[in-house]
Amino acid sequence: MNTITPSEVKQRLAKGEKLRLLDVREDEEVAEIALPGIQHIPLGELPERYNEIEPAEEIIVICRSGNRSGKACEYLSAMGVTGLKNMVGGMLEWEKL
């Protein structure tokens, strides 16, 4: 599984890169802290909604700690979605930056 760190994501966003970000946290978690322009599909809804994910060269998958996003990457990869990167450390690490 390909990974990316929160600091790498933050640096790329600061440079003005348009990143495809997929947040698999629950609604209440996203309400606490969300990144602008992010696509939100809770992990439990992926089986019904994965077709909403537009193909891209790179899709950065985000959750609270990196665990659920890792599971999402595995599931989406099995469904044929490519270009996935798990943001290790998740939003917990993001908030420390």
Side-chain angles (χ1 to χ4, degrees):
M1 175 185 320
N2 292 322
T3 61
I4 190 166
T5 66
S7 62
E8 289 173 304
V9 173
K10 203 169 238 189
Q11 288 170 5
R12 290 175 62 186
L13 288 171
K15 290 179 187 176
E17 280 190 61
K18 298 274 188 197
L19 301 178
R20 296 265 307 144
L21 304 172
L22 173 64
D23 193 333
V24 297
R25 294 178 296 156
E26 296 300 318
D27 294 336
E28 57 275 5
E29 293 173 292
V30 174
E32 290 178 20
I33 182 170
L35 303 178
I38 200 164
Q39 183 178 15
H40 174 233
I41 303 176
L43 180 63
E45 295 179 17
L46 275 180
E48 298 86 36
R49 298 182 56 195
Y50 76 91
N51 58 351
E52 295 175 25
I53 301 167
E54 294 182 28
E57 288 184 28
E58 178 184 59
I59 301 170
I60 300 169
V61 186
I62 298 169
C63 73
R64 181 176 164 271
S65 66
N67 185 35
R68 282 176 285 174
S69 55
K71 290 178 182 179
C73 286
E74 289 173 4
Y75 175 78
L76 292 170
S77 180
M79 299 308 290
V81 179
T82 60
L84 299 162
K85 285 189 178 176
N86 182 23
M87 188 173 88
V88 294
M91 294 306 289
L92 291 174
E93 289 298 319
W94 179 275
E95 291 179 306
K96 294 177 184 177
L97 299 174

